[in-house]
Amino acid sequence: MIRVQQLVKDYHLGDSRVRALDDVTFEIPTGALAAITGQSGSGKTTLLNVLGGLDTADAGRYWLNGRDVSHFNPIEWSRERNRTIGFVFQSFNLLPALTALGNVELPLVYRRVPPRERRRVAEEALAAVGLPHRGHHRPSQLSGGQQQRTAIARALVGNPPLLLADEPTGNLDAETGSEILGLLEHLHRQGRTIVIVTHSTEVASRAELVLSMRDGRLLAPGGGAA
Ligand code: ADP
Ligand code: MG
């Protein structure tokens, strides 16, 4: 599903350079549950954003579902994300002025799905994440766990085969976080490929594949440089 080779990404701040991705090579097979772990600043978010086309690497190659997407432009990426990728963020990123249903419907608005169909699909998605009766609440009226479920429903409405989650339990208490992980595992068992950035050893222990990062580099299992 995902294959990257020798990815490099630098950030420049004034005269200083930070190498956020340093010669990163790996594969994630279709249907896998993969965890990306590492200390804060090790490059996890940068890597996930590159995988989702929200950011681009300076060098290296990337194949998504067998297609070379290394040189996709922003328009090609937005089309690709629309069809194949759902994103989940630590801070939920819900629009405060919209209800839960409104937030979940938003990707369908961009896809020009007619209103009635949109509502039906969004209601189904909220039910699928365990929130069938909260559709008319705004994010501020929902608990953190409910907000993250809403965000996951939004990521799912287009039925993407790939879900990318950046510390999805980072703003939640342990018990709620564990429930959200259970939901992501459930979505994985339904056949989706899921990549989770996490500090949690619990997630890492449940993942089939662990990509451990340090200073922009991928460590081999056991801690040596890959
Ligand atoms: P993580 O998600 O593991 O905490 P990040 O991918 O966010 O790590 O960051 C990796 C490195 O790149 C860090 O040193 C961070 O400070 C730097 N970095 C990330 N984003 C930017 C940016 N927009 N501008 C400058 N430096 C950045
Ligand atoms: Mg991060």
Side-chain angles (χ1 to χ4, degrees), residues 11-13 18 20 38-47 166-167:
Y11 289 111
H12 300 274
L13 277 177
V18 175
Q39 292 182 346
S40 184
S42 58
K44 306 180 299 294
T45 293
T46 303
L47 177 58
D166 193 353
E167 305 202 36

Side-chain angles (χ1 to χ4, degrees), residues 48-60:
L48 203 74
N49 287 346
V50 167
L51 295 181
L54 297 178
D55 206 344
T56 48
D58 299 325

